[in-house]
Amino acid sequence: MEPLLSLIIPVYNTGEAFLELYDSIQKDQYKNLEILVVDDGSTDDSLKILRALAAKDKRLHVFSQKNQGASSARNLALKKATGKYIFFIDSDDDILKTHFTKLTAEYEKGAGLVSCGYRYHRVYNDKSHDTYTNSPVERKSNDTDLSFILRQDVKDGRLYAATNKAFRNDIIKKGNIKFDVNKKFAEDTKFVLDYLTTLIKNRELKISYVLEATYLYHYGTETSTVRESSLIWKNWLDSFKDFQNFAKENGPVTRKDKRLLRHLKIRFHISHAFAVARSNQSFGRKLKYTNIFKLLPATIIVKFRK
């Protein structure tokens, strides 16, 4: 018998987009699912669409709440989830056909966390590319759990998001892990860090990777909050502080770890500059979010990458 999977999907005015995602879920060969959808106070017909689908599919469970944000919606669904493994999916994203099957197979081999690649689709220019399909950082003989995680985060950031992963429900419950409802940026990164902390404390830090892009991320949709929140440097700085706290909790913090944290902060500066450069703001408005010395080279690189 296939283990039960819990799919957690927050919806806010994205009922029509959810129909496309639901169709992809139906096409996946993995069938032992519970689909937990939380309508976060939608002002359109989203809740009506969801309830109509739920009337035809007993696997689909619809909950509703006042608009409180995706973190609150995910936390509500986590309380209801009974599956062995948890998948988080954004309602305006998509999955490819073998997403559940391939990630679950890695768990059945004894993984503590499973991560896959992204098919990264930029809505503004309708271009896509696959990322995180290359081999990840290998653990060195002198690595602590902390330095191993920090080196991965410095290299490519594939551990940042919650949507390209599957989580063990028992670990989530053991660590009482929730999404921080006060964060408006990188709240899923904080969730992943808390999850990794629980794995480290339980001596179960074994990460498996599916080196294929099985999750389709639509960047820059009309309902996306990331495209606005990513422009503000303070949001990136707050996320960096989550990494500092993660290091303190899983220390002792060595000189090597401090060096890795400095490199991570530089990476955040670069990522912030690219986020501003890619935005649809005028050049003058972009300068309100970052300085000319970061913006100019980032703009040139972004233009070249197009």
Side-chain angles (χ1 to χ4, degrees), residues 148-167:
F148 173 54
I149 295 300
L150 289 179
R151 279 200 305 110
Q152 290 193 75
D153 289 323
V154 167
K155 181 184 178 184
D156 63 18
R158 73 179 70 201
L159 292 182
Y160 293 170
T163 49
N164 67 326
K165 295 176 180 63
F167 301 86

Side-chain angles (χ1 to χ4, degrees), residues 260-271:
L260 288 168
L261 283 168
R262 288 195 295 271
H263 291 170
L264 184 64
K265 191 172 184 179
I266 293 170
R267 179 183 173 88
F268 274 27
H269 274 290
I270 295 170
S271 296

Side-chain angles (χ1 to χ4, degrees), residues 15-30:
E16 292 292 338
F18 176 79
L19 290 175
E20 295 183 25
L21 171 59
Y22 179 74
D23 184 57
S24 297
I25 292 171
Q26 295 288 79
K27 290 176 181 176
D28 194 290
Q29 63 193 57
Y30 203 102

